[in-house]
Amino acid sequence: MVCALGAAVCFGTATVLQAIAARHAAGTGAGGDAALLLRALRQWRYLAGLGLDGLGFLLQIAALRSVPIYTVGAALASSLAVTAVVAARLLRVRLSGVEWGAVAVVCAGLAMLGLASGAEGHRDGSAALRYAMLAAAVAVLGLGAVGGRLRRRGRALLLGLGAGFGFGVVEVAVRLIDEPAPAALVTNPAAYALLLAGAAAFLLLTSALQRGSVTTATAGMVIGETIGPAAVGVVWLGDRTREGLTWLAVLGFAVAVTGALALARFGEAPVTEAP
């Protein structure tokens, strides 16, 4: 659980640091997206954000090897609460009372999950599930192709959902990789699913945030990366709760995800200061 929360802190803080670097880069010269990225890469905050993203991913993997997927998914969704709090301090973004309440709701949900979560399931997952994850990763690319043709709101929602599904495939695939040796990875469909889904999710989320509503895209992503993977973990991988606390885990999961959805506008930290 500590690793899952650490990953959320890393991802949430990285978003704000990269937003600050992007704002500074945008104000120091003209040019397209490539020029903006090159200028951002010269900013220590952007590089620190990338480093935090890498650390967060490693912590996510460690968490997925220790606690149920439903706990990790809810914790990662809570990175929006971290982004909101850090943005309020570093970017001077003004949070409403409702948003501060949503931060508290996320924390309450995670506390419930921490109390109720058992150990990760010990089922290895069938070969069929591994190939299903690979097929799901390919389907994420298909969602991206379809979503790119829709109108603005529908496009943002579908691309956000697709990104969430992709990140969800990554969560499940990590659990399906039992042996990290190169020879074993080459023959494991889950390894290819992890790489393909991760890349596809990143591309779809970037497209959704650039070409549609940040709030809509992030809400779709949160739904996609939490509910499906949690169900796979419980049904196929044997994730369970502590004895008699299933109700608390379900409640905590619902509360944490609902709070994260209320903070969906922080899916891409504001790059301008609030008035």
Side-chain angles (χ1 to χ4, degrees), residues 13-14 17-18 20-22 24 39-52 90:
T13 305
L17 291 176
Q18 289 164 350
I20 294 173
H24 183 79
R39 290 198 297 273
L41 285 171
R42 300 191 189 105
Q43 304 291 323
W44 70 265
R45 291 182 181 86
Y46 195 87
L47 296 176
L50 291 178
L52 284 173
L90 297 185

Side-chain angles (χ1 to χ4, degrees), residues 1-9 56 59-78 106-120 242 248-249 252-253 256:
M1 191 64 184
V2 171
C3 288
L5 293 176
V9 170
L59 290 172
Q60 177 186 355
I61 291 176
L64 286 166
R65 307 298 297 184
S66 306
V67 295
I69 291 176
Y70 62 78
T71 300
V72 178
L76 293 181
S78 75
V106 169
C107 293
L110 292 175
M112 289 184 239
L113 276 173
L115 290 173
S117 295
E120 65 163 340
R242 293 182 182 178
L248 185 61
F253 181 86

Side-chain angles (χ1 to χ4, degrees), residues 131-229:
Y131 281 105
M133 289 301 101
L134 182 56
V138 175
V140 168
L141 290 175
L143 278 177
V146 173
R149 300 177 181 177
L150 298 179
R151 294 181 180 274
R152 178 183 174 87
R153 187 172 184 83
R155 178 174 61 216
L157 178 60
L158 190 58
L159 291 177
L161 273 172
F165 291 149
F167 290 130
V169 170
V170 170
E171 293 172 18
V172 176
V174 167
R175 287 279 297 276
L176 296 175
I177 298 175
D178 301 317
E179 178 56 57
L185 291 176
V186 168
T187 59
N188 190 342
Y192 299 101
L194 188 154
L195 294 175
L196 181 59
F202 179 79
L203 291 174
L204 264 62
L205 182 59
T206 300
S207 178
L209 294 176
Q210 289 177 342
R211 302 168 60 190
S213 164
V214 169
T215 300
T216 301
T218 305
M221 182 191 69
V222 168
I223 292 171
E225 74 176 344
T226 53
I227 298 176

Side-chain angles (χ1 to χ4, degrees), residues 3 28 37-38 64 100 126 135 164 218 220 224-225 257 263 265:
C3 288
T28 56
L37 177 60
L38 288 175
L64 286 166
W100 279 117
S126 64
T218 305
E225 74 176 344
V257 172
L263 296 168
R265 79 177 176 102

